Amino acid sequence: MSNNNGFKFADNFLWGGATAANQFEGGWNKDGKGASTSDMMTGGTHTTPRRITPVLEEETYYPSREAIDFYGHYKEDIKLFGEMGFKTFRMSINWTRIFPNGDELEPNEEGLKFYDDVFDELIKNNIEPLVTISHYEAPFGLTEKYNGWCSRKVIDFYVTYCEAIFKRYKDKVKYWLTFNEINCLTVPFGAFMAGGILVNENENSDQKRFQALHHQFIASAKAVKLGHEINPDFKIGCMIAYMTTYPNSCNPDDILLAQQKDQISNMLCGDVQVRGYYPRFANRYFEEKGIEIQMQAGDNEILKEGCVDFYSFSYYMSSVVSADTNLEEVEGNILGGIKNPHLKASDWGWQIDPKGLRWTLNNIYDRYQIPLIVVENGLGAVDVVEADGSINDDYRIDYVRDHIIQMEEAVKDGVELMGYTMWGCIDLVSASTGEMKKRYGFIYVDKDNNGNGNMERSKKKSFYWYKNVIKSNGKEL
Ligand code: BG6
């Protein structure tokens, strides 16, 4: 489909793809790497949740440990990204490759060397790295000793880690994100995944999660300040899972509920990281939930001095809320909601809503007026390999195309948009279910939910389509 309306994305628009070490890197115990929180999570399915195993179970399959072995395939994979014309590639550094237990004083040289090689390879292929410092993993050693981000001590370990990577890669990496989907800590699901926090069954984890979130805010702000001191050209962003939430009706109760969801799930984190202070609505929420954030003298100044340069977010779907508790519920990314009769859903029940991306881009930009980047958007689907080896993923092309069209609309609305990195540009392990079957990629990887497969990479139909999107700078969709 050719877009002839005269619209043009900026010439330096950052087209690319996104991944995370815990879901694609593998090599979990190679060259001095320690165990990450994600290495302790079992596989699951759409209906069976992943388990967290506080000690290693010999017979259990842990999908992140080998993942798709980017560790052993990075040259081949980056070459494919280069062939698609990626301008940028979002990846994360695995903290435990650099500090295996999290509290060492010196970094692991072999781990540092690996990312040197990866960045060199990206640069050789004209791809700008966009690096998440912590994406749903932290050293499991910090969970064992401190219950993860519950402890304020973890801030210092994180800053030491940031200092090591900022100094080492200061001439190779310009774009950084401090924490993936930091707002995942606002929901119970995020305790271990985003905070490395173990909670007891049926425990109300509100206090622990919001205290951990405060520690991550401080850590992020310190990292931003430090990064700018190490290289003033660094651009350091926040990363929010934008949980776009519609009211089910014009009933004022529904409207207020949707507003409150937007405030707590999305804006709280954006406000602290972009503006440098807690929004006033947080006070009432904390009070009503019995949450008491322990702050230290100087925290407010730290937050003020560590505001991010840009705002990045993930967007997969939208949700609906209602004050009526008898309506049909559906699943979603991080948060579910009420069924939206106007939308279709993915194989995993996420409600597909391209226009919601335009709304979201406008909503965020209206509030902050700093550059935005969509660092995750994509379709988790079951792909079929035909007898001739081809994979005709037209549903994925449709999904991505429809969202790009809405990005165009948002840019026309006046939103400052720096780029778009499609999530899971190469098939990888699903964060929520641990499955391989939930595939997102333009590149297929021969591996199944149980770890069987030869890991061979092959190009899906969407690979060629996206290559042309980038080549035409979004003109040919
Ligand atoms: C985002 C996460 O919430 O959603 C990714 O940042 C994750 O890590 C992605 O993979 C898609 O979710 P899932 O559960 O389908 O992998």
Side-chain angles (χ1 to χ4, degrees), residues 272-326:
V272 175
Q273 294 192 284
V274 177
R275 295 172 165 174
Y277 56 89
Y278 277 85
R280 288 168 67 103
F281 57 72
N283 295 336
R284 176 167 185 179
Y285 182 79
F286 291 157
E287 230 173 81
E288 288 180 356
K289 293 271 176 188
I291 299 166
E292 282 178 39
I293 307 287
Q294 304 295 318
M295 297 221 189
Q296 281 190 3
D299 277 6
N300 289 334
E301 288 68 33
I302 294 171
L303 294 178
K304 262 262 153 293
E305 289 171 2
C307 298
V308 292
D309 301 310
F310 64 95
Y311 182 111
S312 84
F313 68 102
S314 59
Y315 176 86
Y316 291 89
M317 49 159 291
S318 62
S319 300
V320 177
V321 287
S322 169
D324 179 350
T325 50
N326 296 315

Side-chain angles (χ1 to χ4, degrees), residues 15-19 86 88-91 420-425 466:
W15 294 103
T19 56
F86 279 16
T88 190
F89 175 57
R90 176 176 175 229
M91 53 176 274
Y420 174 82
T421 57
M422 183 273 210
W423 173 254
C425 50
Y466 194 55

Side-chain angles (χ1 to χ4, degrees), residues 223-443:
V224 171
K225 190 169 176 226
L226 178 71
H228 288 149
E229 281 161 13
I230 291 172
N231 184 348
D233 290 336
F234 277 177
K235 297 285 175 213
I236 308 176
C238 59
M239 196 309 198
I240 310 285
Y242 211 94
M243 304 181 217
T244 301
T245 306
Y246 301 140
N248 191 45
S249 74
C250 53
N251 177 340
D253 287 338
D254 288 357
I255 306 279
L256 275 170
L257 202 57
Q259 184 181 51
Q260 282 156 4
K261 283 267 178 212
D262 198 25
Q263 286 177 329
I264 301 303
S265 308
N266 303 316
M267 289 175 184
L268 190 154
C269 293
D271 285 5
V272 175
Q273 294 192 284
V274 177
R275 295 172 165 174
Y277 56 89
Y278 277 85
R280 288 168 67 103
F281 57 72
N283 295 336
R284 176 167 185 179
Y285 182 79
F286 291 157
E287 230 173 81
E288 288 180 356
K289 293 271 176 188
I291 299 166
E292 282 178 39
I293 307 287
Q294 304 295 318
M295 297 221 189
Q296 281 190 3
D299 277 6
N300 289 334
E301 288 68 33
I302 294 171
L303 294 178
K304 262 262 153 293
E305 289 171 2
C307 298
V308 292
D309 301 310
F310 64 95
Y311 182 111
S312 84
F313 68 102
S314 59
Y315 176 86
Y316 291 89
M317 49 159 291
S318 62
S319 300
V320 177
V321 287
S322 169
D324 179 350
T325 50
N326 296 315
L327 300 176
E328 183 189 345
E329 293 194 5
V330 291
E331 291 170 63
N333 186 24
I334 305 176
L335 277 187
I338 302 302
K339 189 171 166 53
N340 185 334
H342 306 286
L343 301 177
K344 292 199 179 109
S346 76
D347 296 341
W348 271 260
W350 296 11
Q351 306 189 101
I352 302 170
D353 181 12
K355 285 187 180 156
L357 178 57
R358 176 179 177 185
W359 182 92
T360 303
L361 282 159
N362 273 281
N363 195 44
I364 302 169
Y365 194 69
D366 283 351
R367 193 165 179 92
Y368 302 122
Q369 284 105 38
I370 62 170
L372 310 186
I373 172 163
V374 180
V375 289
E376 283 188 34
N377 168 250
L379 181 71
V382 179
D383 288 333
V384 177
V385 185
E386 306 293 348
D388 64 356
S390 63
I391 298 154
N392 298 306
D393 56 341
D394 293 282
Y395 37 90
R396 182 166 295 109
I397 295 174
D398 290 345
Y399 179 99
V400 177
R401 176 199 292 120
D402 291 348
H403 284 80
I404 294 175
I405 290 173
Q406 295 306 318
M407 290 191 325
E408 284 186 15
E409 294 300 329
V411 174
K412 286 193 228 161
D413 293 335
V415 170
E416 218 179 323
L417 184 63
M418 293 159 60
Y420 174 82
T421 57
M422 183 273 210
W423 173 254
C425 50
I426 180 165
D427 290 349
L428 37 65
V429 175
S430 156
S432 57
T433 69
E435 292 167 294
M436 274 303 298
K437 189 178 159 195
K438 189 179 188 188
R439 296 177 182 275
Y440 283 88
F442 297 128
I443 300 165

Side-chain angles (χ1 to χ4, degrees), residues 2 12 73 108-109 131 134 157 181 214 219 235 261-262 330 343 349 361:
S2 185
N12 59 357
H73 291 74
N108 170 31
E109 176 54 34
V131 175
S134 178
F157 301 133
E181 297 188 337
H214 179 69
K235 297 285 175 213
K261 283 267 178 212
D262 198 25
V330 291
L343 301 177
L361 282 159

Side-chain angles (χ1 to χ4, degrees), residues 70-97:
F70 177 72
Y71 197 70
H73 291 74
Y74 72 92
K75 287 197 179 162
E76 181 191 343
D77 293 345
I78 291 172
K79 193 160 169 252
L80 287 167
F81 303 150
E83 193 183 323
M84 263 189 282
F86 279 16
K87 309 286 181 212
T88 190
F89 175 57
R90 176 176 175 229
M91 53 176 274
S92 68
I93 293 181
N94 203 323
W95 188 344
T96 52
R97 215 172 271 299

